[in-house]
Amino acid sequence: MAEAVLPAPSRPTVPARVAEPFGLDAVALHEGIFTRARDQVLHLARVYPVDRLLAVFRANAGLDTRGALPPGGWEDFGHADEEAWGPDDYPGREAAPTANLLRGHYAGHFLSMLAMAAGGADDDVVRTELRAKVDEMVEGLREVQEALAATGRYSHPGFLAAYGEWQFSRLEHLAPYGEIWAPYYTCHKIMAGLLDAHRHTGSATALEVAAAMGRWVHGRLSVLPAEQRAAMWALYIAGEAGGMNEVLCELAVRTGEEIFVGTARLFDLDSLLDAAAEGRDVLDGMHANQHAATLLGYLALHDLTGEARYRDAVVHVWDMLVPGRTFAHGGSGENELWGPAGAVARDIGTRNAETCVAYNMLKLARALFERTGDARYAAYYERAVTNQVLGSRRDAGSDDSPEVTYMFPVHPGALREYDNVGTCCGGTGLENHVKYQDSVYFRSVPGAARTLWVNLYVASALDWAEQDVRVVQETAYPLEGTSRITVDATGDLELRLRVPDQAGFGVRVDGEAQPVRDEGGYVVVRRDWTPGTVVEIALPLALREVPAPDDPSLVTLELGPTVLLARSEATTWLPLSAATWRRLDGTLDAPLDPVGDGTWRLGDLVLEPAWSGSDARYHMYLRRADARIAFAGARTDVPNVAREDGRTFLDVLWSDGGFASRAGLLRAVLRTTREFVDLGLLGAAEAEAVLEAAVRSSVGEVTDTAAEAAFLAEAQADLRTTARAGSAPRVDLVAATTPAVTGWYRRPAELTVTARADAGEPTVETRVGDAPWTPAGAEPLVVGDGVHTVRARATDRDGRERHVVREVSVDTAPPVTTATVRRLGARGVEINLTATDDVSGVDSIRWKGPDTFWATFREPFARALSDEPQVIEFTATDRAGNAEPVRTLVLPPAG
């Protein structure tokens, strides 16, 4: 194979930065919402045996595993008959028994966690203990690397993996996911763990092992044509390479070996880079985590090569993702794929928001902030770290599981998928919770004016030793709306305080109010400091109803930076009636009452923070459901009518979330009223009532009563001349029975249409989905399986019509489970239970065997055979609550 022509590598340079992060050892977290998850993961870091993490590596290298069992899940020994095949002696897919082909990745994450935990530990005993575990793990990996090299079976002595080199060879022949998994993804996690060990504990051995791996990577990829590499990196999952380009750039900087810059460029996916650099959005359908992880490497390549294409591509991809593809808690993607541009509500499925993606997006936000100082990256960081990442860690201790989510879904009645030993998100979840202090503060780069950024309001202490600056931040934010920062510094220092999205931000220095001028998302305090200066910050915690960008009828409730989840066993949309609570800016003046168990009550809703780590079924998004048009302090009897697209009067009015002035609100009310009058949905009297209620309401401050009276008189007079007298007919859809607690009907739903007009009998029609309108008969409308948008309209003799829209969810049949069994040698089998439900979707699959309890599984699991046949029972339940009858699978005796 001809050697590829590599781009001439540039000499590694010091990348340009606006701001720099502090080391983990410079910032200490104090008691707050983040310390719960941190302490739970630190416990795991301290008690989990290193030998278990090294077991898969030692087995692959023919070394003694010391009786240790691997972590399990994806991180298991593999097939009993699998061999550590070299690059050229793999016997082929049909002849090669394989399993657990991502093994080794979890150990890399665990090493990163140990290193970061050691670097950030503020207890000397804990730090010493964790450093010893880092050294033990690094030494174990070095021994494995040397043992693999001694076999002479592999292409370069730097090869290090928990399986043979054959996966990399098969990738070069474009083998699909299934035959292989993602070999360079695993390689990246191991190298990243080693580099973290070098960064946070100073391990020279870790850098040597990682550099040897980098030389092995260069040897494999440098001989491949560019077209072949492009095809590899475009492969779904099989070509997932994690952040290989990032670690290779880091190797270049740490070792001074310029060859690694060129090696990093061998991972370029030009089809994505070129499109993104030009601002073309090609993300729809792309595997989110496969490509999100590469973005940090592209930024690093920009730093080292000066090639603007890399930077431009990353910034444009960010803008394509945030906010247009980002859910309220900071996550993105459905079933691991990015959806269409601007699709948030439309992309809600049942497998949203892979936690690995949020992990990488946080790293990217941090890197972009370092380079720009732009507050929008810090704002995203706060949203995602507070909600998705903190909320991804179950509030429970464990000696052997990270207890983190794979997905943090956003659909109605979702459940978090905790545990995840050995999975990709189990791995990133190990790291997420030991580095919460890494983005609270940032500092100016050497040579620039002395500046300190406060990006997160977190109880903490900072020691900026190089500048003799110490900061202590005391706050219970986001449970309370204040922060008190004591600054021990002398001389000139610029303190930049990030302004969160909510209004009312205020600053006092030693009791004296400061002017609040927004300078790019920050309030800047410039002064000649003296030790002990106290900065007090007001951070009002207003309850907000935030609409999805592509559907204003779908909203989240947010309190400061916290996304609130409504607890409910329902799996259909929960209604929210909030019209009379809305303030001018869209925030809610609502009776949010603390219950005392970490939840709040709002009307009929029980709300918990997304960061709770609870096991309750929840709703992140709610459906606006105001029956009447109303404003704070002013109600009407006018129905909150809907357009044919289903959007109601109040949906349209509040679609932008709020108004800058009361005059702006009144103009919007008039504009929306005219639209609904022109559509025949409101009559003259109803329109006048709506306008009068808006003027009478307490929304916003009334500054000119006479001007508002004149506005109302002119608007009403205009409507009297343009709108017809009387009202359009009233129409309603009434279900004969109530649905199950899940919100689904488990037998066909019957709906009756009622209508009345001011004069005469109206014409009444119904429509289900996109079907034609049909006359409503005397018998109820019967709706079968599916999620249906049911509409009814009534038209009077003057041609005026009014619509009503209902979403009706029906699932009458349980899921169907298929069981497949694959032999694992003479005494084991792998069981895969897959269930299908094309209506409401599968909620859970459970199984039970001899001497086991009912367990819930989404992944294949292994079962040891015994001397007697075994009966495995299994069943599935759908999101509507239909349960499959318990079925059985008989496993044969061993032999």
Side-chain angles (χ1 to χ4, degrees):
M1 188 177 292
E3 181 167 346
V5 178
L6 296 180
S10 301
R11 180 176 298 278
T13 60
V14 178
R17 296 287 196 277
V18 171
E20 288 184 344
F22 288 93
L24 294 175
D25 59 343
V27 182
L29 287 187
H30 293 171
E31 188 69 24
I33 65 170
F34 294 102
T35 51
R36 183 269 299 175
R38 179 203 61 183
D39 293 345
Q40 288 165 338
V41 174
L42 277 176
H43 171 77
L44 178 66
R46 297 179 69 184
V47 303
Y48 200 84
V50 167
D51 283 341
R52 293 193 64 184
L53 299 161
L54 292 172
V56 291
F57 290 92
R58 287 169 171 158
N60 184 61
L63 300 176
D64 182 6
T65 62
R66 305 181 185 182
L69 293 176
W74 299 358
E75 192 77 2
D76 217 329
F77 278 133
H79 195 284
D81 299 326
E82 184 178 335
E83 295 183 29
W85 296 295
D88 303 314
D89 54 2
Y90 170 66
R93 183 176 188 177
E94 300 304 318
T98 63
N100 306 111
L101 293 179
L102 208 67
R103 60 187 184 270
H105 79 107
Y106 189 75
H109 285 296
F110 212 106
L111 179 55
S112 288
M113 176 190 66
L114 289 172
M116 288 187 285
D122 51 13
D123 181 285
D124 290 341
V125 173
V126 173
R127 184 185 308 110
T128 300
E129 175 187 331
L130 292 171
R131 281 177 176 261
K133 293 188 80 166
V134 169
D135 290 343
E136 181 185 358
M137 195 164 179
V138 169
E139 181 60 24
L141 291 173
R142 182 193 64 78
E143 290 173 357
V144 168
Q145 190 179 55
E146 291 180 351
L148 292 173
T151 67
R153 193 172 194 179
Y154 306 106
S155 64
H156 186 279
F159 174 69
L160 174 59
Y163 43 74
E165 197 174 354
W166 65 274
Q167 282 204 70
F168 298 91
S169 298
R170 292 301 300 140
L171 174 62
E172 290 164 11
H173 288 85
L174 308 183
Y177 171 54
E179 180 179 357
I180 62 173
W181 202 322
Y184 279 105
Y185 178 94
T186 305
C187 181
H188 165 245
K189 304 312 173 187
I190 299 166
M191 292 181 71
L194 291 163
L195 290 178
D196 280 332
H198 179 251
R199 178 189 298 110
H200 297 292
T201 72
S203 171
T205 301
L207 182 60
E208 292 168 4
V209 175
M213 292 182 71
R215 296 183 194 104
W216 165 77
V217 172
H218 180 83
R220 284 217 70 90
L221 294 181
S222 61
V223 297
L224 301 179
E227 297 79 7
Q228 186 176 356
R229 297 194 311 272
M232 289 161 56
W233 310 140
L235 285 173
Y236 173 74
I237 293 186
E240 186 173 358
M244 281 300 304
N245 49 3
E246 181 192 11
V247 294
L248 288 161
C249 286
E250 197 168 339
L251 270 179
V253 172
R254 294 196 197 187
T255 65
E257 296 183 38
E258 298 179 10
I259 192 174
F260 292 133
V261 180
T263 312
R265 295 180 72 144
L266 298 177
F267 288 90
D268 286 359
L269 181 59
D270 290 322
S271 58
L272 173 61
L273 273 170
D274 291 340
E278 296 168 6
R280 289 187 287 113
D281 189 333
V282 295
L283 301 184
D284 187 7
M286 296 188 78
H287 187 271
N289 198 53
Q290 179 167 347
H291 300 292
T294 67
L295 301 176
L296 280 155
Y298 292 146
L299 276 183
L301 280 167
H302 168 259
D303 294 339
L304 297 179
T305 68
E307 190 172 322
R309 178 182 73 143
Y310 290 117
R311 177 202 59 215
D312 294 346
V314 174
V315 171
H316 288 156
V317 168
W318 177 275
D319 291 340
M320 295 166 191
L321 294 172
V322 183
R325 288 181 170 94
T326 301
F327 300 112
H329 62 353
S332 63
E334 157 60 10
N335 201 26
E336 302 192 10
L337 307 179
W338 281 317
V344 173
R346 287 180 292 128
D347 203 35
I348 293 176
T350 58
R351 297 278 294 166
N352 285 115
E354 184 184 1
T355 311
C356 279
V357 180
Y359 160 89
N360 280 307
M361 289 295 288
L362 283 179
K363 293 175 70 174
L364 184 60
R366 187 172 185 261
L368 287 168
F369 177 81
E370 290 175 35
R371 289 158 173 81
T372 64
D374 193 325
R376 65 188 175 126
Y377 301 121
Y380 170 85
Y381 197 101
E382 178 184 55
R383 174 173 292 273
V385 77
T386 303
N387 294 291
Q388 177 159 12
V389 168
L390 179 55
S392 72
R393 179 50 169 85
R394 188 179 193 173
D395 188 7
S398 177
D399 291 352
D400 56 15
S401 169
E403 290 294 348
V404 294
T405 59
Y406 195 116
M407 300 291 179
F408 192 150
V410 303
H411 61 274
L415 284 168
R416 279 173 267 201
E417 306 170 2
Y418 295 119
D419 187 20
N420 284 293
V421 171
T423 70
C424 54
C425 293
T428 53
L430 292 168
E431 298 181 39
N432 277 331
H433 308 286
V434 295
K435 58 175 184 174
Y436 284 118
Q437 69 267 45
D438 76 348
S439 295
V440 178
Y441 308 100
F442 287 81
R443 61 190 173 189
S444 49
V445 298
R450 192 167 63 158
T451 303
L452 177 66
W453 284 263
V454 180
N455 274 358
L456 301 177
Y457 297 99
V458 175
S460 55
L462 165 69
D463 184 5
W464 189 359
E466 299 87 345
Q467 292 290 339
D468 198 23
V469 174
R470 288 162 187 82
V471 167
V472 175
Q473 184 175 181
E474 301 168 271
T475 182
Y477 191 73
L479 293 172
E480 295 178 5
T482 60
S483 184
R484 186 178 191 268
I485 299 177
T486 302
V487 180
D488 282 329
T490 302
D492 183 62
L493 169 68
E494 181 175 293
L495 186 66
R496 300 182 67 85
L497 306 169
R498 189 178 63 82
V499 181
D501 292 338
Q502 58 265 35
F505 188 85
V507 180
R508 289 181 174 271
V509 177
D510 285 340
E512 182 179 342
Q514 303 295 301
V516 177
R517 291 190 293 268
D518 191 324
E519 298 187 20
Y522 290 86
V523 167
V524 178
V525 180
R526 300 182 182 92
R527 61 188 291 121
D528 192 13
W529 296 79
T530 57
T533 300
V534 175
V535 180
E536 296 170 291
I537 305 167
L539 298 154
L541 296 176
L543 181 65
R544 294 168 294 155
E545 179 194 47
V546 182
D550 57 331
D551 184 353
S553 73
L554 206 62
V555 299
T556 52
L557 291 174
E558 302 182 13
L559 185 66
T562 299
V563 174
L564 299 176
L565 309 177
R567 288 184 174 180
S568 173
E569 291 299 309
T571 56
T572 55
W573 299 111
L574 287 184
L576 175 67
S577 300
T580 58
W581 296 335
R582 293 190 189 108
R583 297 186 182 101
L584 186 65
D585 61 0
T587 61
L588 301 182
D589 185 10
L592 192 61
D593 300 320
V595 176
D597 60 351
T599 65
W600 296 270
R601 186 169 291 279
L602 178 68
D604 294 332
L605 300 176
V606 175
L607 304 172
E608 67 175 349
W611 42 261
S612 66
S614 85
D615 290 298
R617 196 179 288 275
Y618 63 87
H619 294 242
M620 186 175 295
Y621 288 90
L622 308 172
R623 182 73 77 186
R624 281 178 172 163
D626 295 286
R628 299 284 183 267
I629 297 174
F631 306 92
R635 299 174 183 269
T636 77
D637 290 327
V638 180
N640 184 28
V641 288
R643 302 184 309 200
E644 192 168 355
D645 64 1
R647 295 192 177 186
T648 67
F649 181 99
L650 291 174
D651 289 340
V652 175
L653 176 64
W654 292 96
S655 60
D656 290 332
F659 300 93
S661 67
R662 181 174 166 91
L665 166 68
L666 296 180
R667 287 193 298 270
V669 172
L670 176 59
R671 183 171 60 250
T672 308
T673 301
R674 281 177 170 158
E675 176 189 343
F676 278 69
V677 165
D678 291 342
L679 290 171
L681 298 175
L682 291 178
E686 292 173 320
E688 290 186 42
V690 171
L691 288 166
E692 187 274 333
V695 172
R696 180 165 48 88
S697 76
S698 58
V699 182
E701 182 181 357
V702 179
T703 58
D704 192 335
T705 304
E708 288 196 4
F711 165 83
L712 176 61
E714 181 180 348
Q716 289 180 327
D718 177 63
L719 284 168
R720 290 189 195 106
T721 62
T722 58
R724 289 172 286 182
S727 301
R730 304 293 178 96
V731 61
D732 202 359
L733 277 167
V734 180
T737 60
T738 57
V741 68
T742 60
W744 289 79
Y745 292 91
R746 296 209 290 260
R747 61 183 183 183
E750 297 183 357
L751 298 98
T752 301
V753 185
T754 62
R756 63 182 175 82
D758 290 342
E761 290 295 323
T763 300
V764 184
E765 299 168 290
T766 60
R767 180 184 188 185
V768 180
D770 295 327
W773 288 99
T774 58
E779 297 298 319
L781 175 66
V782 179
V783 180
D785 280 357
V787 178
H788 307 283
T789 301
V790 182
R791 294 177 170 85
R793 71 180 178 189
T795 309
D796 65 14
R797 62 191 182 188
D798 294 324
R800 291 175 298 193
E801 66 179 46
R802 184 169 285 166
H803 297 253
V804 65
V805 182
R806 298 282 184 269
E807 186 175 271
V808 180
S809 302
V810 182
D811 189 351
T812 61
V816 176
T817 304
T818 301
T820 57
V821 179
R822 185 165 71 102
R823 290 298 294 255
L824 299 175
R827 302 194 64 84
V829 293
E830 180 184 81
I831 302 172
N832 190 14
L833 300 176
T834 58
T836 57
D837 187 292
D838 295 332
V839 184
S840 63
V842 176
D843 188 64
S844 66
I845 306 172
R846 298 186 303 143
W847 71 275
K848 179 180 181 297
D851 304 318
T852 64
F853 57 87
W854 281 101
T856 300
F857 271 76
R858 285 273 188 172
E859 299 294 333
F861 59 95
R863 183 78 179 171
L865 299 177
S866 63
D867 293 334
E868 300 294 330
Q870 299 179 54
V871 177
I872 303 294
E873 298 176 280
F874 60 91
T875 180
T877 304
D878 63 24
R879 298 182 66 243
N882 297 302
E884 179 185 32
V886 174
R887 299 167 58 196
T888 59
L889 172 70
V890 179
L891 302 182

